[in-house]
Amino acid sequence: MVLKGKPLLLGSLIFSCLPPCKTWLLLSAMILRPLQPHGISFFLKNSRTEASHKMILLNNSQKLLALYKSLARSIPESLKVYGSVYHISHGNPFNLEVLVDSWPEYQTVIIRPQKQEKTDDMDLYTNVYRIFSKEPQKSQEVLKNCEIINWKQMLQIQGFQESLGEGIRVAAFSNSVKVEHSRAILFITEDILNLDASNKSKFGRWAETGRPDVEFESKTPNFKYAQLDVSHSGLVNDRWQRGKNERSLRYVKRCIEALPTACVLGPEGIPVSWATMDPSCEVGMGYSMETYRRKGKMRQVLLQFTKYLSQNNIPFYLSVPEFNEAGCRSVRQSGFFEATCEWHQWTCYPQNLVPF
């Protein structure tokens, strides 16, 4: 009874009956056993800390819809990523993927091309990363990770938060990459601020959902409102400020084939004014042939195009360089107004691929 009430005495009696070497082995086992779970726990804790620097791939439709609805609450700052998620959820024609730093509570979202798309180290039209962060000042640790951004390629990072810039520059510097920053005025409409965050909008072609603008065609009988055809790709590429090369031509063809477009066809059946959309729902490449400028053709294209997009619950916005006063005026006349944030792009060049 005395021994049962005093386990320490029992232990001392056992040890006193054993040779010194076996006593040491038994002591070691007793000391280490209670520490073992704590050692495992410590190791796992460190593993979770390291994993926290990695991003989570969202490829589940329900999670993408939840993210889409969440991003809607941060418009206009989240519009670049919000629009990308829309197209990813509607066929994903540009093979993009969505990364978040954690789920379901997240701070940073990155849209990037899937691995099979990133085959050309100098393709600035494909190697595009679109970012939104609730804490942009803390994004540099995520951006430094070469598993997330391929800093060995020429690439572009786009977003509507200027405060992302510092993290991008620090991450680029740590990877010996040169960065050029450009900005523009971001234009949106009232519809964008009241978007219905749903992935159930029907994504149709003009032939399916669009109707001829009877009023437009009655006033201008020699002109017809339509969508661009892939055969117009060369025309669009040659007049796009960022185009005029083989890589841009491939990109223009892809946009026309897969995404909504709009144009006004002239008397000869050739587009005289047009606009396209990119994989993040940005309306762009807008152009009017010189003969038809200052005649309201671009305004007519934008009015009808945005009307269609709104009816089909497709997000849209556009950007215009501040120095382009004529472009800003035309956009404002089409029902757009300046957003509370700006359009930003960081073009990144690795040392061995700097073009100048």
Side-chain angles (χ1 to χ4, degrees):
M1 294 295 293
V2 174
L3 292 179
K4 288 183 179 178
K6 295 184 178 180
L8 286 177
L9 179 60
L10 175 63
S12 64
L13 288 172
I14 292 174
F15 294 145
S16 65
C17 299
L18 292 173
C21 61
K22 293 186 178 180
T23 300
W24 169 248
L25 288 173
L26 185 57
L27 270 171
S28 300
M30 292 180 66
I31 292 171
L32 290 176
R33 186 172 296 169
L35 291 177
Q36 189 175 6
H38 297 286
I40 293 173
S41 174
F42 177 76
F43 174 77
L44 290 176
K45 184 177 180 181
N46 284 348
S47 299
R48 284 195 294 269
T49 302
E50 292 175 2
S52 67
H53 294 297
K54 297 183 178 180
M55 301 288 279
I56 301 169
L57 177 65
L58 287 192
N59 51 15
N60 176 285
S61 59
Q62 291 183 337
K63 291 181 180 179
L64 287 175
L65 179 56
L67 175 65
Y68 190 61
K69 291 181 178 181
S70 174
L71 289 168
R73 295 192 288 270
S74 299
I75 288 173
E77 286 82 2
S78 65
L79 252 178
K80 178 64 71 172
V81 168
Y82 180 88
S84 301
V85 174
Y86 173 85
H87 282 313
I88 290 171
S89 300
H90 290 74
N92 197 11
F94 281 75
N95 296 320
L96 304 178
E97 60 187 14
V98 183
L99 300 175
V100 293
D101 59 341
S102 58
W103 187 259
E105 298 297 325
Y106 64 89
Q107 295 298 319
T108 301
V109 186
I110 297 179
I111 308 294
R112 70 178 184 183
Q114 294 177 10
K115 186 177 181 179
Q116 70 267 25
E117 292 288 328
K118 297 182 287 185
T119 57
D120 184 348
D121 290 344
M122 301 183 70
D123 189 351
L124 286 172
Y125 307 96
T126 301
N127 304 333
V128 180
Y129 297 74
R130 299 166 176 100
I131 300 179
F132 167 72
S133 180
K134 295 177 182 178
E135 294 184 333
Q137 297 86 351
K138 299 180 180 180
S139 61
Q140 66 185 44
E141 288 304 318
V142 172
L143 297 174
K144 281 181 182 179
N145 192 337
C146 291
E147 294 182 7
I148 297 170
I149 293 181
N150 187 354
W151 291 106
K152 296 179 181 180
Q153 294 184 320
M154 289 172 56
L155 59 91
Q156 292 180 340
I157 299 175
Q158 298 176 347
F160 297 157
Q161 297 167 287
E162 186 174 11
S163 48
L164 286 168
E166 183 60 28
I168 291 171
R169 282 185 284 269
V170 170
F173 180 80
S174 69
N175 287 280
S176 302
V177 172
K178 175 183 173 62
V179 179
E180 287 186 346
H181 175 230
S182 56
R183 71 175 71 208
I185 300 174
L186 175 63
F187 284 97
I188 59 175
T189 66
E190 198 66 37
D191 289 334
I192 296 303
L193 296 179
N194 299 301
L195 277 169
D196 175 23
S198 168
N199 73 338
K200 296 180 180 179
S201 56
K202 181 181 179 183
F203 183 62
R205 302 292 290 173
W206 287 101
E208 298 170 355
T209 58
R211 294 185 178 181
D213 186 345
V214 177
E215 182 181 358
F216 169 74
E217 294 185 1
S218 64
K219 291 180 179 179
T220 54
N222 294 325
F223 296 87
K224 183 180 179 181
Y225 182 61
Q227 69 170 349
L228 289 168
D229 183 82
V230 70
S231 62
H232 301 138
S233 300
L235 177 69
V236 175
N237 181 55
D238 290 343
R239 286 156 180 81
W240 184 27
Q241 189 175 9
R242 291 186 53 226
K244 305 178 179 66
N245 62 74
E246 286 300 316
R247 289 187 179 92
S248 63
L249 178 59
R250 290 196 296 269
Y251 175 72
V252 170
K253 283 182 177 178
R254 206 167 175 182
C255 288
I256 292 176
E257 286 178 329
L259 304 174
T261 63
C263 71
V264 171
L265 300 176
E268 298 178 357
I270 299 174
V272 299
S273 189
W274 60 80
T276 66
M277 176 172 274
D278 83 351
S280 69
C281 286
E282 180 168 354
V283 174
M285 302 186 205
Y287 189 86
S288 287
M289 302 294 276
E290 190 172 353
T291 308
Y292 297 96
R293 290 177 189 170
R294 299 181 182 85
K295 296 183 179 179
K297 292 293 183 288
M298 178 53 69
R299 180 171 176 270
Q300 290 168 336
V301 167
L302 288 177
L303 285 172
Q304 293 303 311
F305 194 23
T306 55
K307 178 182 178 181
Y308 163 79
L309 296 173
S310 295
Q311 289 174 344
N312 289 275
N313 203 29
I314 301 173
F316 62 90
Y317 55 92
L318 51 81
S319 61
V320 181
E322 190 173 3
F323 60 80
N324 187 350
E325 296 180 3
C328 291
R329 184 168 54 252
S330 176
V331 166
R332 290 189 182 100
Q333 292 173 348
S334 303
F336 287 82
F337 58 87
E338 293 184 33
T340 54
C341 53
E342 292 181 307
W343 180 97
H344 294 276
Q345 179 173 276
W346 294 268
T347 305
C348 305
Y349 304 95
Q351 283 186 343
N352 62 319
L353 295 177
V354 175
F356 42 82

